[in-house]
Amino acid sequence: MSRVVYVLNGPNLNLLGKREPHIYGHETLADVEADCRKVGQDLGLEIQFHQSNREYEIIDWIHEAREVASGIVINPAAFTHTSVAILDALHACAFPILEVHISNIHKREPFRHHSYVSSVASGVIAGFGTQGYALALQRLARLIGSVPQA
Ligand code: DQA
């Protein structure tokens, strides 16, 4: 039986591929979703992929995941640096959480260096481009025992 994993994306990531491609690359969010589904299938994961520009919607998906999922991969985008509400929702989850950033937030403006989410994440991937999502799913599959430990 596949394990359910939520892949959550925050504000402006719907513009991926069009928005600041020198920072975020040319792949679209649909490309990322397709990649996550392909990798997820190979890892025995059922992917629930979502994006929203609204904080409450992301919180509602975290609450949903809490009931049905084995883990979360989240790119909270700008909410990374502002949202105690998303942090609190993630604290209510008993499974592994992996944080992804397409860009290397530590190389950018100082306000991007702090993440509220990192304190609850099992791991953080930043600066690996959109490939970071697939890497996070591989790690999550290990953490939840969906693939054998190497
Ligand atoms: C981002 C980095 C954030 O600082 C920014 O607000 C984003 C995207 C990333 O994936 O690199 O929207 O999370």
Side-chain angles (χ1 to χ4, degrees):
M1 207 182 76
S2 298
R3 304 285 202 97
V4 177
V5 166
Y6 275 52
V7 180
L8 301 179
N9 294 279
N12 302 304
L13 289 170
N14 53 311
L15 296 179
L16 204 59
K18 297 174 209 150
R19 162 202 186 210
E20 300 183 278
H22 57 291
I23 296 175
Y24 299 112
H26 292 278
E27 268 195 297
T28 66
L29 196 64
D31 296 331
V32 174
E33 179 173 358
D35 203 31
C36 285
R37 291 196 186 286
K38 189 171 166 292
V39 173
Q41 201 169 22
D42 294 344
L43 294 168
L45 304 176
E46 182 192 321
I47 305 295
Q48 293 289 332
F49 193 96
H50 297 293
Q51 185 276 331
S52 182
N53 297 323
R54 300 171 188 86
E55 193 174 17
Y56 77 87
E57 245 174 347
I58 294 167
I59 292 164
D60 285 349
W61 285 320
I62 294 169
H63 293 178
E64 201 179 278
R66 198 175 163 270
E67 303 296 328
V68 300
S70 300
I72 287 181
V73 170
I74 185 165
N75 182 350
F79 292 148
T80 306
H81 318 296
T82 62
S83 183
V84 174
I86 288 177
L87 172 65
D88 283 350
L90 291 170
H91 264 301
C93 298
F95 47 56
I97 293 153
L98 292 183
E99 178 182 353
V100 171
H101 300 286
I102 297 165
S103 64
N104 180 359
I105 53 175
H106 303 290
K107 199 179 154 189
R108 300 181 64 192
E109 304 95 315
F111 67 84
R112 294 185 203 276
H113 297 179
H114 175 259
S115 163
Y116 281 100
V117 171
S118 294
S119 64
V120 77
S122 300
V124 182
I125 292 178
F128 283 69
T130 52
Q131 194 190 350
Y133 288 84
L135 296 172
L137 286 172
Q138 281 168 9
R139 178 65 184 153
L140 192 57
R142 286 279 177 89
L143 291 174
I144 65 180
S146 175
V147 289
Q149 298 284 324

